Amino acid sequence: MDIDYQACVFDYAPGRGGQQRHPVAVVGAGPVGLATAIDLAQNGVPVVLLDDDNKLSAGSRAICFSKRTLEIFDRLGCGERMAAKGVRWHVGRVFHHDAEVYSFDLLPEAGHERPAFVNLQQYYVEGYLHERAQAPGLAELLDLRWRSKVISLVQHADHVALTIATPDGEYLLEAAYVVAADGGKSTVRGLMGLESHGRTFRDRFLNADVKMTAPFPAERWFWFDPPFHPGQSVLLHRQPDNIWRIDFQLGWDADPVAEKTPERVIPRIRALLGEDVEFELAWVSVYTFCCLRMDSFRHGRVLFAGDAAHGVSPFGARGANSGVQDADNLAWKLRLVVEGKAPAALLDTYAREREAAADENILHSTRATDFITPKSAASRLFRDAVLQLARDQPFARMLVNSGRLSTAMIYADSALNTPDSEHFGGSMRPGAPAADVPLRLEGRPAWLLRHTGNAFTGICFANGGGEGQALTLALAQAAALANDAIAVRTLVVVPAGQGGPGIFEDSAGLFAARYDATPGSFYLLRPDQHVCARWRGVDPYAVRAAVARASCNACTQASVAQAGSPMEHA
């Protein structure tokens, strides 16, 4: 039986004593803050998580969680619950007036563990993350403090001093680094006198969660100018528990208070569903949105993530997904810095990579909003002509924009990448998130991404297990000779039928296909499962140099190279 997460109220508890200065403090216990804190704690970094409230989000809020975000939740230990509870979908349909213009499939190929998207209310996501944060082995390192409001912040050369207001009074908390994940109205951002810049859209939308039993499929349906809501747009999504999200465009002149009343909401829903459909309202909200971001996501020892750093319109499900991907990018870098295995300059790459991601999301979100809400008669005429043509002309469908759905950022220009020195086909270039593939391990089904992440991981595609094991040994010897504290875990993948103990078989041939892998090919993944280097034939010292580059360690392999290649001794 599911917990009623909307009704959860958490007790205030004073912070744990003993430690005078914490490695990391995270402000904000929403999905982004929880994901960051869990990632740090499960990799051995003590973290304090502060939130000025004591309950989870009200209403469904963010509901569309992408394949990449689910893969991150898998790495955090709670993806299975979310995938099982969520409504899986991959098809979207676009309508103009009362006719379907076209449909699209977000994951047309098989061979992926996770679906393109699941719809899951934000309170479930926060609830599952909260339970994970309190699990044995994590709770000892993750100090979650409700009703703890940051009221002042002072940066020093080697730490940040926070003043925390609680029901018991105020106290001082010191942390080497602070992650501000406290939402669009970020208290931390305000205390530091920082701002976000961008564009506010002059339109209003009504969100309604409706509980009902309905025959609509688990798909994304979007109407432009439908007969039941003329001149505006409507979005329909299915959620768990027979809850349906319906978004109505209202126009800028709509009264945000009056539009939330049942007298206004119910007739709109009846116009869509019909007079005979029984339903009840579960949650209603009217919103105006912006596309904006901070100029920089890093300010000394304070790093901003999620809505505190950037904001987008809801079309395309880019808000919560990009925030969780911020956490995914930041946590491993912060861990290496705190542990003394990487310089603080590595945190600048978090800012650069995720600022670029925010710009990409804002671009897509702005274009979608401009298409959905044309601001002139000429732009509306163009929009409607595109929709009419799209019914019969495939070229016009590329111009229809009801919200380009969230995709993971490819860090193609990252300074952490080692450029290709040989030709590879396919999309798994440096900077790309690693694609999942089905494998077999000792006769049992397995998934690639279940065995990567949290550490640098090498994937060797070998003719046989012995070849891969020799490379694993060579990498370990190279690390020892370099006195390198950053380990590389190595997976060996072989063609189907050639497996052995600890060796993965490419059971469906999809690893070779998706990674353009030939015998001897080697991929190096960052701890966040993004590719940072690849080779056709690998020298262990090239791998160590790529790890050094991907962790901003200005080291050389010259002294190691003088000892001879460990492959000679493997």
Side-chain angles (χ1 to χ4, degrees), residues 389-449:
L389 283 170
R391 297 183 189 183
D392 302 308
Q393 302 297 329
F395 82 89
R397 294 169 192 167
M398 300 296 294
L399 302 175
V400 176
N401 194 338
S402 65
R404 307 284 191 225
L405 274 297
S406 175
T407 55
M409 179 67 178
I410 298 173
Y411 306 126
D413 299 323
S414 174
L416 306 187
N417 295 341
T418 295
D420 286 339
S421 58
E422 299 152 295
H423 175 72
F424 276 86
S427 60
M428 291 295 98
R429 64 186 188 274
D436 207 3
V437 294
L439 303 170
R440 291 191 73 81
L441 177 62
E442 299 175 5
R444 297 185 301 275
W447 291 97
L448 176 65
L449 294 186

Side-chain angles (χ1 to χ4, degrees), residues 470-521:
L471 177 58
T472 301
L473 177 61
L475 285 168
Q477 291 176 336
L481 289 169
N483 193 25
D484 193 341
I486 300 178
V488 177
R489 182 173 65 240
T490 305
L491 308 181
V492 179
V493 179
V494 298
Q498 298 184 23
I503 305 299
F504 292 87
E505 292 184 48
D506 188 13
S507 52
L510 289 177
F511 182 83
R514 289 178 183 164
Y515 286 77
D516 186 26
T518 55
S521 295

Side-chain angles (χ1 to χ4, degrees), residues 369-387:
T369 304
D370 285 340
F371 193 86
I372 292 167
T373 64
K375 299 302 185 292
S376 69
S379 58
R380 178 175 288 276
L381 184 64
F382 170 79
R383 198 272 311 267
D384 291 347
V386 166
L387 290 168

Side-chain angles (χ1 to χ4, degrees), residues 124 185 212 333:
Y124 278 122
K185 298 179 180 178
M212 64 178 180
K333 297 174 179 178

Side-chain angles (χ1 to χ4, degrees), residues 221-223 226 228-229 232-236 246-248 272:
W221 285 17
F222 193 100
W223 287 268
F228 56 83
H229 192 57
Q232 307 287 9
S233 65
V234 178
L235 175 64
L236 176 70
I246 308 175
D247 289 8
F248 294 94
L272 167 62

Side-chain angles (χ1 to χ4, degrees), residues 212-215 266 269-279:
M212 64 178 180
T213 301
I266 291 174
I269 296 172
R270 289 217 177 278
L272 167 62
L273 301 178
E275 292 295 329
D276 297 332
V277 176
E278 295 185 4
F279 64 88

